[in-house]
Amino acid sequence: MPLETRLTCLIVLFFNTFPVQGKSSQPHILFVLADDFGYNDIGYHGSEIKTPNLDKLAGDGIRLENYYVQPICTPTRSQLLSGRYQIHTGLQHGIIWPSQPNGLPLDSPILPQKLKEVGYSTHAVGKWHVGFYKKEYLPTSRGFDSYFGYLTGSEDYYTHHRCYGKMCGMDLRENAVPANYSGIYSTYLFAQKAADIVQKHDSDQPLFLYLPFQSVHSPLQVPEKYIQPYLHIKDEKRRKYAGMVAAMDEAIGNLTEVFKQKGIWNNTLMVFSTDNGGQILEGGNNYPLRGWKASLWEGGMHGVGFVHGQMLKRKGIVSKALMHVTDWFPTLVSLAGGNLNGTKPLDGVDQWKTISEGSAVNQRSSILHNIDPLFQPVGHRLPKSPFDNRIRAAVRFGDWKLITGSPGNGSWVPPPHMKLLHQMEDNSEPPEKNIWLFNITADPYEHKDVAHINPKVVMQMLDLLAQYNQTAVPCRYPKMDEKANPKYLGGYWGPWL
Ligand SMILES: *[C@@H]1O[C@H](CO)[C@@H](O)[C@H](O)[C@H]1NC(C)=O
Ligand SMILES: *[C@@H]1O[C@H](CO)[C@@H](O)[C@H](O)[C@H]1NC(C)=O
Ligand SMILES: *[C@@H]1O[C@H](CO)[C@@H](O)[C@H](O)[C@H]1NC(C)=O
Ligand SMILES: *[C@@H]1O[C@H](CO)[C@@H](O)[C@H](O)[C@H]1NC(C)=O
Ligand SMILES: *[C@@H]1O[C@H](CO)[C@@H](O)[C@H](O)[C@H]1NC(C)=O
Ligand SMILES: *[C@@H]1O[C@H](CO)[C@@H](O)[C@H](O)[C@H]1NC(C)=O
Ligand SMILES: *[C@@H]1O[C@H](CO)[C@@H](O)[C@H](O)[C@H]1NC(C)=O
């Protein structure tokens, strides 16, 4: 064999044995986001709903038990994708309604864009909900190589049809193009589309698969067979909801099998997260946490989350490190070997070492839960307060959590089958009350407001809110636009400007 050929062989051998730094060290990333999945709706929190696949994945991975999301949909998704608080994107108030010309600003790259820069193949399947009024805001314009899913929220699981007031239309697309899979339950549909992506994927390239399921948001719809094991649950909503959770759990189990068959599961980091607390009016539950979806109580935003993957240095443990949904952006970008060039200042912190190794370096100590200038103010302003405490806001600093303004219904609502044992406790507090302080470490269920005995801490926390407020951009919450009506757009919700 001529020397040259032998050398080439050696080099090839060398590179096959010791793959170049970069490519093979980049894990595949599967990010599963559940919708309205409550704290008391996962098996490992003691729920009456069984989630064997999620329990197993979390049990072999790391459960995040001091993990926070936002109280509602668009805010969590916008922060996950951008790594930035709502006060820095203008999305402080509410969700993006279907006919609102609004979106997560285009001025800072989002997660798939940063992963694509370092060679990832990027795909999203499921709910978008961070804006679509112009083509530039669609997933395929924002770093996803492919997209299959819906742009608004709350549509029918089978017809994929959504009405908003008098405006009605289909909401499903394949990349940027309207799609029609009428009759197929979305959990099956999204699981199948996700499986197709994995099966067709070139294993040498790192994969980012973002899978924001429709499950388990209302409307309460699920194939009958998933309800069968729950016929003992008397409350109809809870019963159907339990079935929906079961379907999602099965879909996730199925998808992990597809990764295994493809031979890439051992190099895949899976993240599972809810987008916000469970909606108790639609079968969800967060007991023993206080309050629920859309509130600033823990039930609204103390989220279910875990990670799983061979690359974790610790496994089978519970992490109590404070973590926030904005942290995924820098954490995943750095794990992928990417950089944060071109991003506007981030509010998220790279938590990889915290999660994987339990390192205290880079550990987060505070979270701005939100400041919402458009929410109805409540009560009176405290004399000398640096922050207008009539305004809805919440902040966490170490053990402390301060809430101002109107936090939302603060009842502790047990799941229906426990109602005889645990009475629902209503919060009968004066309607003008607008400040609460809790030591969340000592009192995770927010039973004991200690504001009155810690006036100095209250002032310090108000000061912290005032400092955050100084960095806020104006809130953008445009008027509904009649031109968004699907009747002008071929019967589908989609870009209209
Ligand atoms: C979607 O397909 C169903 C069933 O084939 C059909 O009845 C319906 O009209 C289609 N909808 C649209 C908007 O094309
Ligand atoms: C999971 O896979 C099984 C076997 O292929 C299939 O029957 C079932 O419908 C799948 N479940 C979901 C939720 O996709
Ligand atoms: C993952 O499994 C595949 C197939 O069994 C194997 O070739 C590869 O070396 C494994 N990778 C890691 C990171 O363990
Ligand atoms: C990121 O920006 C830094 C500083 O400008 C530069 O040195 C580096 O090359 C950039 N990295 C990439 C991958 O663009
Ligand atoms: C936040 O800052 C703005 C601008 O200075 C001010 O108008 C507003 O009252 C502040 N909000 C609160 C809740 O203090
Ligand atoms: C809070 O929610 C509970 C449960 O739905 C309800 O019974 C109660 O009336 C609500 N309280 C207030 C003050 O709205
Ligand atoms: C909060 O409560 C925990 C547990 O009782 C205690 O260790 C901690 O010192 C308290 N934090 C503050 C800031 O008082």
Side-chain angles (χ1 to χ4, degrees), residues 218 220 235 237-238 241 278-286 292-293 409 413:
S218 64
L220 298 173
D235 182 89
K237 286 184 171 175
R238 187 71 175 159
Y241 180 89
Q279 170 55 277
I280 65 138
L281 308 174
E282 297 289 351
N285 196 266
N286 311 289
W292 63 91
K293 176 183 179 179
N409 187 312
V413 187

Side-chain angles (χ1 to χ4, degrees), residues 371 381 386-389 391 466 469-470:
I371 301 171
R381 187 166 180 164
F387 182 80
D388 187 345
N389 53 286
I391 300 299
N469 186 46
Q470 276 169 16

Side-chain angles (χ1 to χ4, degrees), residues 159 161 169-170 179-183 490-492:
T159 62
H161 190 262
M170 296 283 284
N180 187 358
Y181 286 78
S182 199
Y492 276 78

Side-chain angles (χ1 to χ4, degrees), residues 65-244:
E65 291 295 356
N66 198 1
Y67 170 57
Y68 286 83
V69 291
Q70 294 301 112
I72 45 174
C73 187
T74 299
T76 288
R77 288 155 210 264
S78 69
Q79 301 204 20
L80 163 65
L81 290 167
S82 72
R84 310 184 71 229
Y85 288 151
Q86 284 154 265
I87 59 162
H88 296 143
T89 60
L91 296 172
Q92 291 94 318
H93 185 68
I95 60 165
I96 297 176
W97 294 102
S99 63
Q100 244 181 336
N102 205 2
L104 175 61
L106 303 172
D107 58 2
S108 193
I110 65 170
L111 188 54
Q113 288 169 308
K114 295 308 289 181
L115 295 177
K116 206 169 151 60
E117 276 176 18
V118 286
Y120 275 72
S121 168
T122 56
H123 306 271
V125 177
K127 185 183 193 177
W128 183 236
H129 215 180
V130 289
F132 63 88
Y133 73 109
K134 287 180 178 169
K135 277 207 186 84
E136 301 90 283
Y137 289 87
L138 292 179
T140 44
S141 305
R142 305 198 73 173
F144 282 110
D145 294 333
S146 81
Y147 174 66
F148 182 90
Y150 60 111
L151 302 169
T152 69
S154 309
E155 67 269 46
D156 188 284
Y157 277 75
Y158 292 95
T159 62
H160 316 290
H161 190 262
R162 162 93 207 253
C163 286
Y164 178 62
K166 289 196 176 114
M167 301 184 188
C168 289
M170 296 283 284
D171 186 5
L172 194 67
R173 40 191 77 216
E174 197 134 28
N175 297 317
V177 188
N180 187 358
Y181 286 78
S182 199
I184 305 182
Y185 187 61
S186 84
T187 314
Y188 289 143
L189 186 54
F190 296 156
Q192 189 54 54
K193 291 289 176 182
D196 290 349
I197 288 166
V198 176
Q199 275 153 358
K200 288 194 193 117
H201 181 68
D202 166 8
S203 307
D204 289 338
Q205 195 185 1
L207 170 70
F208 173 50
L209 176 53
Y210 174 48
L211 181 54
F213 275 111
Q214 179 171 5
S215 317
V216 287
H217 196 289
S218 64
L220 298 173
Q221 295 176 303
V222 66
E224 193 59 34
K225 68 169 184 178
Y226 295 102
I227 302 179
Q228 286 306 314
Y230 293 107
L231 295 178
H232 58 278
I233 297 182
K234 299 223 162 39
D235 182 89
E236 190 191 350
K237 286 184 171 175
R238 187 71 175 159
R239 187 164 69 238
K240 278 193 182 163
Y241 180 89
M244 293 166 75

Side-chain angles (χ1 to χ4, degrees), residues 24 260 262-267 310:
S24 73
K260 285 175 192 162
K262 182 77 178 175
I264 60 173
W265 185 240
N266 60 359
N267 191 29
Q310 292 308 314

